[in-house]
């Protein structure tokens, strides 16, 4: 049976194209990312299923109700197919329950496609779950703790989310979803005004020759008992964080050089640390696989979140700090709600891993809509995920290059990928390299960190700290080389303020250094 295709005609260039479901999804992703450049277009994206023309990239609506609903049903169908393959490896009563859950999931799809009244649909859901729960209870098991029962509930949630596009659905009630939508629209208006103001006041950057060489402000010797693994610095450069081979986050006043009370995590050593949102909270993770969140002022633990089965190697957060993504040695990446203290989803499906091997690098777009994961067995893979549903959008390969850092740039559909001595710009919508920002044969970057403003980055290269200007010539983008760490001791952790004026560095000499760059 041939795959269904659709004939579309662009109202802008008047050209017709025949596309299949995969191409349709790709054009929708491209259209969404392109629309976010312009707040006015972004409004339409929120209200319609928008795609980009394959010829001229003009944006247009496409079957906003029926197509969205069909894609939801297709997503559930694929999850059921994956479950069916996993059932073959399950034995005993658990296999029987998973097989039953798969059969009920198929019924869910059939119900969704019948356009039955909403009340009947909800009643049917209750009946199916009740019958299944009774079967589980016969084994003296608690239904809510049974994996097959939870999977069936999730299947219902995904399938029934499609009814949000049905014509017979009553007006959406006021609440969290509508409030978020209104808040986003307001922020788009503010962004538009901000863009106009910046366009009127932008000043040319000083010539590279006029830049200062930087000076050492503080040197915290023996900041940790072993290697300094990760650093974070506040936007104003006043507070710094460091973690090493112990269970403490050390907090530094970078104005006075005073050490502030540390943050304590139970368990073994920490590997990653970041500020969240307005920087009143801190998140860190490490060998135990737990994500710790503290209130910085009081040092109180707000949440300790556990799902990973191995060391967490990388952390990233949305701009407001509500969402955090973690990458682990167990091959998975997970999304967390730091306000509710809850696990949102695992990327890569219900049973499958995110990557074959450790997830060495993660990134989350400022609005929390898209996620990137890097690493794997061959350490050469970057995957692009839709953070709203955990679906894989694109996969990019960087042959013979170990991907050790990924970060979203100021332009939302571009991401920076650091592999060895190379800094590459990846088009997130297409999963391919479109530019190179650095390509040095003499440097091998470690501890790379892109500042939130997207203009500056810092990285270790041997015992030196490199201050990198993003967008400069690839062969002269290193504006400063800061020297102070012990020779032969690698710098493997860096942090930099958005203005590039202050840098933190740490490494194998167990010390943390604070630099004023003069930029």
């Amino acid at each position: 049976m041939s795959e269904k295709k659709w004939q579309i005609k662009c109202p802008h260039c008047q050209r017709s194209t025949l596309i299949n479901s995969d191409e349709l999804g790709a054009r929708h992703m491209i259209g969404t990312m392109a629309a976010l450049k312009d707040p006015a277009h972004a409004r339409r994206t929120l209200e319609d299923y928008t795609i980009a023309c394959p010829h001229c990239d003009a944006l247009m609506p496409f079957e906003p109700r029926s197509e969205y609903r069909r894609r939801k049903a297709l997503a559930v169908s694929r999850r059921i197919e994956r479950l069916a393959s996993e059932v073959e490896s399950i034995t005993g009563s658990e296999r029987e329950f998973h097989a039953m859950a798969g059969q009920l999931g198929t019924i869910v799809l059939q119900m969704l496609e019948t356009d039955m009244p909403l009340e009947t649909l909800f009643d049917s859901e209750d009946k199916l779950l009740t019958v299944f729960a009774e079967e589980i209870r016969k084994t003296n098991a608690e239904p809510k703790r049974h994996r097959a029962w939870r999977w069936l509930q999730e299947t219902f949630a995904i399938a029934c989310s499609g009814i949000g596009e049905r014509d017979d659905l009553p007006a959406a009630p006021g609440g969290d979803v509508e409030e978020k939508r209104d808040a986003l629209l307001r922020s788009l208006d503010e962004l538009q005004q901000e863009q106009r103001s910046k366009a009127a006041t932008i000043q040319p950057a000083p010539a590279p020759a006029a830049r200062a060489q930087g000076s050492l402000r503080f040197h915290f010797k023996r900041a940790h008992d072993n290697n300094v693994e990760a650093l974070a610095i506040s936007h104003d450069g006043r507070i710094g964080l460091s973690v090493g081979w112990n269970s403490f986050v050390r907090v530094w006043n970078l104005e006075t050089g005073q050490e502030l009370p540390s943050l304590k995590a139970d368990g073994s050593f920490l590997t990653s640390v970041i500020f969240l949102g307005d920087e009143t909270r801190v998140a860190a993770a490490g060998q135990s696989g737990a994500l710790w969140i503290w209130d910085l002022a009081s040092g109180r633990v707000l949440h300790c979140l556990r799902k990973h089965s191995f060391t967490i190697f990388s952390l990233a957060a949305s701009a407001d700090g509500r969402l955090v993504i973690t990458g682990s040695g167990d091959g998975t990446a997970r999304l967390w709600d730091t306000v509710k203290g809850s696990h949102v989803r695992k990327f890569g499906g219900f049973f499958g891993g995110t990557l074959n091997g450790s997830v060495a690098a993660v990134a989350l777009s400022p609005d929390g809509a898209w996620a990137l994961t890097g690493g794997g067995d061959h350490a050469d893979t970057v995957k692009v995920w839709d953070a709203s549903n955990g679906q894989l959008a694109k996969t990019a390969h960087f042959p013979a290059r170990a991907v050790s850092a990924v970060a979203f740039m100021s332009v939302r559909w571009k991401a920076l990928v650091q592999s060895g001595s190379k800094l590459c710009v990846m088009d997130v919508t297409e999963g391919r390299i479109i530019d190179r920002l650095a390509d040095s044969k003499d440097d091998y970057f470690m501890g790379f960190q892109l500042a939130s403003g997207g203009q500056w980055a810092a990285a270790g290269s041997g015992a030196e700290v490199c201050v990198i200007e993003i967008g400069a010539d690839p062969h002269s983008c290193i504006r400063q080389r800061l020297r102070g760490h012990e020779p032969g001791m690698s710098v493997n952790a860096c942090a930099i303020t958005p203005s590039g004026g202050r840098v933190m560095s740490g490494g194998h000499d167990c010390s943390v250094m604070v630099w004023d760059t003069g930029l």
Side-chain angles (χ1 to χ4, degrees):
M1 184 175 180
S2 61
E3 183 181 14
K4 182 177 179 181
K5 295 186 177 182
W6 293 268
Q7 182 86 21
I8 64 170
K9 184 175 182 180
C10 176
H12 182 73
C13 67
Q14 299 298 314
R15 298 177 69 177
S16 296
T17 310
L18 196 65
I19 61 176
N20 59 29
S21 58
D22 290 336
E23 293 167 338
L24 182 65
R27 300 315 302 179
H28 172 50
M29 179 180 175
I30 293 172
T32 302
M33 299 295 285
L36 290 175
K37 286 194 303 182
D38 186 344
H41 281 308
R43 286 178 177 273
R44 186 173 67 182
T45 302
L46 291 172
E47 298 167 357
D48 242 340
Y49 185 86
T50 302
I51 65 172
C53 173
H55 302 289
C56 66
D57 282 337
L59 304 182
M60 55 182 160
F62 178 80
E63 299 185 48
R65 294 184 186 276
S66 61
E67 180 54 27
Y68 177 85
R69 188 166 150 214
R70 187 197 67 80
R71 284 166 55 80
K72 284 288 186 181
L74 182 60
V76 181
S77 177
R78 287 174 176 170
R79 298 192 85 150
I80 292 174
E81 290 174 1
R82 287 199 296 271
L83 175 68
S85 63
E86 291 293 334
V87 166
E88 296 302 320
S89 62
I90 300 174
T91 61
S93 61
E94 188 178 8
R95 171 173 178 152
E96 296 174 3
F97 282 116
H98 275 78
M100 187 184 301
Q103 294 171 358
L104 295 181
T106 304
I107 296 174
V108 172
L109 285 180
Q110 295 171 351
M111 289 161 48
L112 183 64
E113 294 168 353
T114 59
D115 286 331
M116 66 171 61
L118 292 180
E119 184 176 353
T120 306
L121 181 63
F122 294 143
D123 287 343
S124 299
E125 174 190 4
D126 290 338
K127 290 177 182 178
L128 285 175
L129 286 174
T130 300
V131 170
F132 194 41
E134 289 301 322
E135 289 298 317
I136 293 176
R137 285 194 184 95
K138 292 177 182 178
T139 65
N140 295 320
E142 171 59 39
K144 292 184 179 180
R145 296 184 179 180
H146 201 285
R147 183 166 52 167
W149 195 87
R150 293 198 305 270
W151 182 88
L152 182 59
Q153 272 198 317
E154 183 179 352
T155 302
F156 263 113
I158 297 173
C160 291
S161 64
I163 66 176
E165 299 299 319
R166 284 176 52 155
D167 295 331
D168 60 345
L169 186 69
D176 191 41
V177 175
E178 288 301 310
E179 289 174 5
K180 287 181 180 178
R181 183 179 183 279
D182 293 340
L184 180 55
L185 292 178
R186 286 195 300 271
S187 67
L188 289 171
D189 289 334
E190 293 171 0
L191 177 62
Q192 197 171 31
Q193 294 297 328
E194 182 182 340
Q195 289 172 340
R196 291 172 181 169
S197 299
K198 285 183 178 179
T201 60
I202 189 168
Q203 298 293 329
R211 300 192 188 278
Q213 290 304 306
S215 61
L216 180 63
R217 183 179 182 87
F218 295 113
H219 184 184
F220 303 115
K221 297 182 179 180
R222 302 299 300 181
H224 292 271
D225 296 332
N226 210 314
N227 300 341
V228 178
E229 291 294 316
L231 299 166
I233 191 169
S234 60
H235 285 78
D236 58 11
R238 294 177 179 272
I239 302 295
L241 309 172
S242 65
V243 296
W245 282 66
N246 56 35
S247 58
F248 293 93
V249 177
R250 301 193 73 174
V251 184
W252 311 93
N253 185 323
L254 304 186
E255 292 293 303
T256 65
Q258 177 187 8
E259 182 179 0
L260 302 177
S262 299
L263 307 174
K264 178 67 168 65
D266 294 334
S268 52
F269 65 85
L270 299 172
T271 60
S272 305
V273 64
I274 57 174
F275 282 100
L276 296 180
D278 60 2
E279 301 182 336
T280 60
R281 296 176 300 148
V282 170
Q287 187 184 32
S288 67
L291 172 64
W292 293 83
I293 301 171
W294 296 269
D295 176 75
L296 180 59
S298 66
R300 181 170 62 92
V301 175
L302 301 177
H303 303 291
C304 177
L305 309 175
R306 300 181 186 273
K307 281 285 186 180
H308 287 292
S309 59
F310 201 72
T311 305
I312 294 175
F313 292 116
S314 48
L315 289 178
S318 58
D320 61 5
R322 174 153 196 151
L323 296 176
V324 166
I325 183 174
T326 54
S328 169
D330 61 13
T332 69
R334 295 181 182 273
L335 191 67
W336 310 84
D337 187 315
T338 65
V339 176
K340 295 180 180 179
S342 61
H343 176 254
V344 179
R345 65 180 43 86
K346 181 182 77 173
F347 295 98
F350 210 72
F351 293 94
T354 305
L355 292 169
N356 294 324
S358 299
V359 181
V362 292
L364 201 59
S365 62
D367 59 1
W370 299 97
L372 302 176
T373 59
D377 277 347
H378 302 290
D380 64 350
T381 303
V382 174
K383 292 190 176 184
V384 183
W385 306 85
D386 184 337
S388 66
N389 56 26
Q391 296 297 308
L392 178 63
K394 290 289 179 181
T395 299
H397 293 281
F398 299 82
R401 299 169 190 161
V403 174
S404 53
V406 291
F408 279 90
M409 303 179 70
S410 55
V411 181
R412 296 185 183 215
W413 63 92
K414 291 182 180 180
L416 196 61
V417 179
Q418 182 256 317
S419 56
S421 62
K422 304 183 187 327
L423 298 180
C424 304
V425 179
M426 184 179 78
D427 186 323
V428 174
T429 63
E430 297 183 6
R432 64 182 181 88
I433 297 174
I434 58 174
D435 197 6
R436 297 184 187 276
L437 300 184
D439 195 348
S440 172
K441 295 181 180 179
D442 301 325
D443 297 288
Y444 188 94
F445 297 132
M446 295 184 66
F448 177 88
Q449 187 179 102
L450 178 69
S452 59
Q455 181 181 0
W456 297 98
S461 178
E464 297 179 338
V465 182
C466 298
V467 180
I468 304 167
E469 184 175 11
I470 303 302
D473 183 271
H475 301 290
S476 59
C477 62
I478 299 177
R479 294 308 189 198
Q480 292 182 3
R481 292 180 181 272
L482 308 174
R483 299 177 176 90
H485 286 277
E486 292 183 22
M489 296 289 187
S490 298
V491 174
N492 61 343
C494 292
I496 186 169
T497 57
S499 66
R502 185 161 290 177
V503 172
M504 290 182 70
S505 59
H508 291 172
D509 60 4
C510 306
S511 67
V512 171
M513 292 188 174
V514 182
W515 309 83
D516 287 330
T517 65
L519 298 172

